[in-house]
């Protein structure tokens, strides 16, 4: 794998983490604010510094799993949450993960994966979700020619990819993106097909 654990740990070690907003993003806060099932098992894969997990805990959610292949952000998160309950931190490859969730939160994880893993991402999310489970979050939809993440896609490509396993409830221009991401994100709600 081109972007393996070593690649991501190096990015954190070298502080080349331009994706890291330093706070929970507006679209994800909005999604969380509209969710009211506080006991729902929630997974944040490729969570990085997981500011959204801290926001979920602050809002009373009590079954949040944070998963990343890189250890550094998870150690940093552990330091921040010494007294918090309801949060599970897992250092693991997403594709090896076993579990069952009502909600998977997506933000800059899909685009971190090489395009050849897109179908595997969709299949794995489908496997990890309970009946009626959803992926909610944001996806980039601008074009890049770079050989490095973010590997973006178009709305049409997302439809083709997700519709095989998910009912696309929402795939709309995000109007509340962070300044640096204005006009570059789609807000999504994908409900698992049985
Ligand atoms: C672009 S960063 C996004 C981090 C976070 N979602 C955010 O918005 O700040 C991608 C993250 O995915 C993690 N990652 C990449 N491949 C992974 C895999 N196969 N399993 C779990 N985490 C992975 C990286 O270590 C990195 O933290």
């Amino acid at each position: 794998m081109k972007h393996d654990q070593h690649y991501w740990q190096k990015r954190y070690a070298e502080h080349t983490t331009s994706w890291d907003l330093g706070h929970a993003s507006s679209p994800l806060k909005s999604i969380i604010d509209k969710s009211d099932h506080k006991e729902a098992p929630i997974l944040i894969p490729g969570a990085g510094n997981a500011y959204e997990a801290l926001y979920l805990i602050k809002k009373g959610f009590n079954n949040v799993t944070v998963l990343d292949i890189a250890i550094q952000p998870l150690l940093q998160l552990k330091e921040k949450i010494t007294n918090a309950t309801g949060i599970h931190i897992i250092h693991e490859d997403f594709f090896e993960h076993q579990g069952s969730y009502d909600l998977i939160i997506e933000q800059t994880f899909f685009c971190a994966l090489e395009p050849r893993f897109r179908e595997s991402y969709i299949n794995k999310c489908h496997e990890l979700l309970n009946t009626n489970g959803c992926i909610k979050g944001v996806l980039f939809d601008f074009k890049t020619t770079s050989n490095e993440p973010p590997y973006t896609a178009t709305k049409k490509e997302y439809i083709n990819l997700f519709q095989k396993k998910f009912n696309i409830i929402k795939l709309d221009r995000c109007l509340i993106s962070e300044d640096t991401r204005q006009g570059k994100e789609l807000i999504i709600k994908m409900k698992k097909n049985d």
Side-chain angles (χ1 to χ4, degrees), residues 1 27 31 34 43 54 62 65 77 92-93 120 129 133 145 148 162 165 178:
M1 198 194 287
I31 288 168
K34 287 180 193 139
L43 174 67
L54 296 173
N62 59 25
T65 300
L77 181 63
E92 192 181 22
D93 186 330
S120 307
L129 284 168
T145 47
E148 292 284 320
F162 280 92
K165 292 273 181 177
E178 297 288 320

Side-chain angles (χ1 to χ4, degrees), residues 5-125:
Q5 184 180 32
H6 174 74
Y7 170 86
W8 289 105
Q9 298 205 148
K10 193 161 174 277
R11 300 262 329 225
Y12 282 101
E14 292 175 351
H15 304 288
T16 52
T17 52
S18 50
W19 62 80
D20 191 315
L21 292 168
H23 56 264
S25 72
S26 305
L28 290 205
K29 277 163 72 177
S30 165
I31 288 168
I32 293 165
D33 289 345
K34 287 180 193 139
S35 306
D36 50 14
H37 184 197
K38 307 284 183 187
E39 286 76 36
I42 299 173
L43 174 67
I44 312 181
N49 276 303
Y51 307 105
E52 289 73 25
L54 296 173
Y55 190 74
L56 280 161
I57 297 301
K58 188 172 140 197
K59 290 285 167 174
F61 291 83
N62 59 25
N63 194 353
V64 179
T65 300
V66 170
L67 181 144
D68 205 287
I69 203 170
I71 190 71
Q72 293 95 322
L74 302 181
L75 293 176
Q76 279 159 217
L77 181 63
K78 269 189 188 152
E79 278 177 22
K80 287 185 204 154
I81 58 147
T82 40
N83 291 322
T85 54
I87 181 162
H88 320 283
I89 300 175
I90 303 182
H91 179 216
E92 192 181 22
D93 186 330
F94 170 68
F95 296 103
E96 303 292 323
H97 184 58
Q98 300 295 314
S100 53
Y101 300 93
D102 288 348
L103 175 62
I104 294 178
I105 292 187
E106 169 55 47
Q107 179 175 262
T108 64
F109 177 48
F110 180 94
C111 70
L113 301 170
E114 292 166 55
R116 67 194 167 107
F117 294 116
R118 286 179 175 171
E119 236 170 90
S120 307
Y121 166 95
I122 287 162
N123 291 338
K124 188 68 190 175
C125 286

